[in-house]
Amino acid sequence: MMKAIQRILHFIILIICLVFQVTLVERLKLYYINLDLVMIAIAGITIFDGMMYGVVYGFIAGMILDLMVGNVIGLSALIYALNGYIVSKIINIGLKKKIFVYILAIFFITEINLLFSTGIYYLFNFRASLRGLGLEIAINPICNILLMFVLFPILQTGRERKDEFGFLHKDEI
Amino acid sequence: MAPLKKNLKSTIVLAVIIVLCIIVITVSFKDASLLKKAKSTTLDFFNPIQEKTFLLFQPISRLFNGIKDYFKLREKMLALKNENAALQKDYSENINLKIENESLRKMFGLQIRQERKTLLANVIGFYENKWQSQIILNVGKSNGILEGMAVITEEGLVGVVVLSSNNTSEVRLINDPQSSIGARVLSSRKLGIVEGGLDKKVYLNYIAASEDIFKGDILITSEFGEYIPPEILIGRIKKVSIVANNPYKQIEIEPFVDFKKLENVLVIKG
């Protein structure tokens, strides 16, 4: 019962992140610094609730974002759903310190998102700037990792100690 | 056994989602109108919460923009002082010209320019990535807003409405790489196309390399646009360069509007 409430709460947090992304975060962007609140929320949900929730919530949030402001509808939905899957694979690699796993997960999905979205847009005949992409690849993971330290504690609020990552996945690591 | 079954279930869900996304991407790219209804409904659904959140965060974005501006303050003040002196000089001359112009138009039976009908709208959303720059407004079809209408501020052209739902509309900014607007150089009357770049800069394209274009020239919208009225200020020419083997000049524009600071805009209804 508690878990179900928490999952609903995480979905609400995800939607709030989505609204914050469109109303605040996008306005604070500077040069090539991009923060992706939705992506970090999805990574957190995957870590704390499991792959299934990460993938499904990622799809829903991505689809809403696409329908609100997207150029190619379905692209963010695909990317965020894949993020859930990738994060679930990364948490199984077996690093001792969970903080390193979190950082690694955010680093990888940020880079994958950038490369994947650039590739898809390029396929759909949009131009691609290699200089811009290079800068984003260098800067964005750092910004997203910093944002992770703000968002993950919020997602963790109310969790029992035994539910936390290290215990929940003790058989898999 | 149980985790394996759970994993398989999750992988099947992921596979279904991937297929679904590919279908949606293809449909949206082939015929965007099919998903227009869903887009409008989503925009309308999130309108109230977006409006409240945007208002809530306005002080933060103002503070952030204020910090950014602080470092350019002195330079900006000097530029504004010079501009103000030049404008004051022109002001009385322009009033006289306006009166003269109107009386001549009357004399020759020409139509006197009509004031444009505009509607004030609040910005409730902003979205920017390499391939797009958009804002969301709190007005839509119910307020008479239609796709193609121009959006301006007192500083100049902001963009064009690309989607209008009942209570919300999406505006493509002029620095969006997909934006393309007919423009005229105010001093030389030369025509070109103002387009956005992937670097979020705005460029004036299709001006032959042999043409004379100078830094500081002002750009206005041309009279050939289907929906955008003529003579709306766009920006000032910031940099002119010639690229080898390119028949056109590369001209960078500094828009008069700071898109990150947009809070209220006017939609030109007619």
Side-chain angles (χ1 to χ4, degrees):
Chain A
M1 185 64 185
M2 189 64 190
K3 272 189 175 175
I5 292 168
Q6 254 170 6
R7 278 161 189 165
I8 294 166
L9 202 72
H10 282 173
F11 184 73
I12 294 166
I13 292 173
L14 180 66
I15 298 298
I16 293 170
C17 285
L18 203 142
V19 175
F20 278 19
Q21 181 77 31
V22 178
T23 51
L24 177 74
V25 179
E26 295 289 327
R27 281 167 83 94
L28 305 182
K29 275 182 179 175
L30 264 177
Y31 304 104
Y32 289 97
I33 303 170
N34 291 318
L35 299 169
D36 197 337
L37 212 53
V38 182
M39 184 199 79
I40 297 161
I42 289 158
I45 289 167
T46 311
I47 290 168
F48 304 125
D49 295 336
M51 173 181 159
M52 179 75 112
Y53 288 91
V55 169
V56 174
Y57 285 8
F59 171 73
I60 296 169
M63 196 53 91
I64 294 171
L65 192 69
D66 281 336
L67 288 171
M68 277 169 85
V69 284
N71 249 346
V72 182
I73 299 166
L75 182 59
S76 304
L78 178 63
I79 287 174
Y80 289 141
L82 284 173
N83 284 171
Y85 179 76
I86 294 162
V87 171
S88 76
K89 293 291 155 200
I90 291 172
I91 56 175
N92 289 332
I93 61 170
L95 285 177
K96 268 186 184 172
K97 290 254 181 195
K98 62 181 178 181
I99 190 75
F100 292 137
V101 181
Y102 296 171
I103 291 172
L104 201 67
I106 299 295
F107 176 81
F108 269 111
I109 56 172
T110 308
E111 304 291 37
I112 289 167
N113 285 6
L114 278 170
L115 294 170
F116 191 72
S117 56
T118 306
I120 294 276
Y121 271 104
Y122 191 72
L123 279 177
F124 279 105
N125 232 359
F126 283 80
R127 283 171 292 167
S129 153
L130 284 179
R131 185 179 158 266
L133 182 67
L135 284 167
E136 281 181 328
I137 280 175
I139 299 167
N140 288 0
I142 302 164
C143 302
N144 284 333
I145 287 166
L146 291 175
L147 197 63
M148 177 194 86
F149 287 104
V150 180
L151 198 62
F152 275 22
I154 298 170
L155 287 166
Q156 265 181 312
T157 317
R159 290 181 72 83
E160 286 176 49
R161 185 83 191 144
K162 68 181 169 61
D163 279 351
E164 280 185 15
F165 170 71
F167 296 93
L168 192 69
H169 295 275
K170 66 178 189 299
D171 300 329
E172 295 160 25
I173 298 174
Chain B
M1 194 66 191
L4 204 74
K5 207 175 167 187
K6 207 176 163 188
N7 240 343
L8 185 73
K9 205 172 139 192
S10 303
T11 314
I12 292 168
V13 170
L14 180 72
V16 171
I17 283 175
I18 290 172
V19 173
L20 199 66
C21 287
I22 291 169
I23 294 169
V24 174
I25 291 170
T26 315
V27 169
S28 85
F29 205 72
K30 283 240 170 196
D31 189 3
S33 59
L34 283 172
L35 293 162
K36 213 169 146 185
K37 181 102 180 85
K39 229 171 149 36
S40 303
T41 314
T42 315
L43 276 173
D44 281 339
F45 180 79
F46 280 97
N47 178 320
I49 182 169
Q50 248 182 292
E51 206 167 346
K52 296 272 184 303
T53 322
F54 204 82
L55 275 175
L56 185 77
F57 287 130
Q58 223 166 35
I60 299 173
S61 48
R62 276 182 191 164
L63 178 77
F64 189 77
N65 284 323
I67 295 166
K68 268 198 292 179
D69 284 348
Y70 179 78
F71 298 100
K72 297 176 192 163
L73 220 57
R74 198 177 154 71
E75 191 187 321
K76 212 168 184 175
M77 193 188 74
L78 285 171
L80 281 173
K81 263 187 178 174
N82 290 337
E83 199 175 320
N84 193 32
L87 286 172
Q88 269 178 350
K89 211 179 103 190
D90 292 343
Y91 182 66
S92 58
E93 199 182 319
N94 283 344
I95 287 180
N96 286 334
L97 283 172
K98 193 183 171 192
I99 294 164
E100 197 179 300
N101 183 296
E102 275 172 16
S103 58
L104 281 169
R105 275 176 184 269
K106 264 184 200 163
M107 206 187 283
F108 289 106
L110 293 171
Q111 203 183 18
I112 290 176
R113 280 177 200 167
Q114 298 291 313
E115 285 288 317
R116 286 168 191 140
K117 219 171 137 190
T118 56
L119 178 78
L120 182 72
N122 293 332
V123 178
I124 57 165
F126 185 90
Y127 193 74
E128 189 180 64
N129 65 25
K130 271 182 287 183
W131 302 278
Q132 68 182 108
S133 286
Q134 284 185 349
I135 53 168
I136 303 169
L137 305 181
N138 69 337
V139 290
K141 272 183 191 149
S142 56
N143 308 92
I145 303 301
L146 300 172
E147 278 137 39
M149 284 179 171
V151 177
I152 58 166
T153 64
E154 64 272 25
E155 288 152 335
L157 185 68
V158 172
V160 177
V161 176
V162 285
L163 186 103
S164 174
S165 65
N166 277 343
N167 304 310
T168 318
S169 41
E170 259 180 32
V171 177
R172 181 178 289 156
L173 302 178
I174 57 169
N175 67 347
D176 185 304
Q178 292 177 86
S179 162
S180 184
I181 289 155
R184 202 181 260 290
V185 181
L186 192 60
S187 59
S188 61
R189 311 300 293 166
K190 283 186 184 86
L191 285 165
I193 308 274
V194 167
E195 292 175 322
L198 282 176
D199 48 6
K200 295 286 139 229
K201 287 174 182 166
V202 184
Y203 295 94
L204 174 66
N205 293 329
Y206 309 110
I207 297 282
S210 56
E211 304 264 21
D212 286 330
I213 293 281
F214 302 104
K215 188 182 162 188
D217 271 348
I218 287 172
L219 285 174
I220 53 169
T221 52
S222 77
E223 60 276 32
F224 302 116
E226 200 175 343
Y227 302 107
I228 303 170
E231 293 171 11
I232 298 171
L233 289 168
I234 299 174
R236 204 187 291 272
I237 293 176
K238 192 180 173 186
K239 201 170 141 194
V240 183
S241 47
I242 294 170
V243 183
N245 301 324
N246 190 343
Y248 301 110
K249 274 187 171 158
Q250 196 181 44
I251 304 165
E252 191 189 323
I253 311 294
E254 188 184 10
F256 288 126
V257 179
D258 186 344
F259 304 113
K260 291 264 170 86
K261 287 183 191 166
L262 288 173
E263 285 177 7
N264 302 302
V265 292
L266 294 166
V267 185
I268 301 178
K269 289 173 79 178

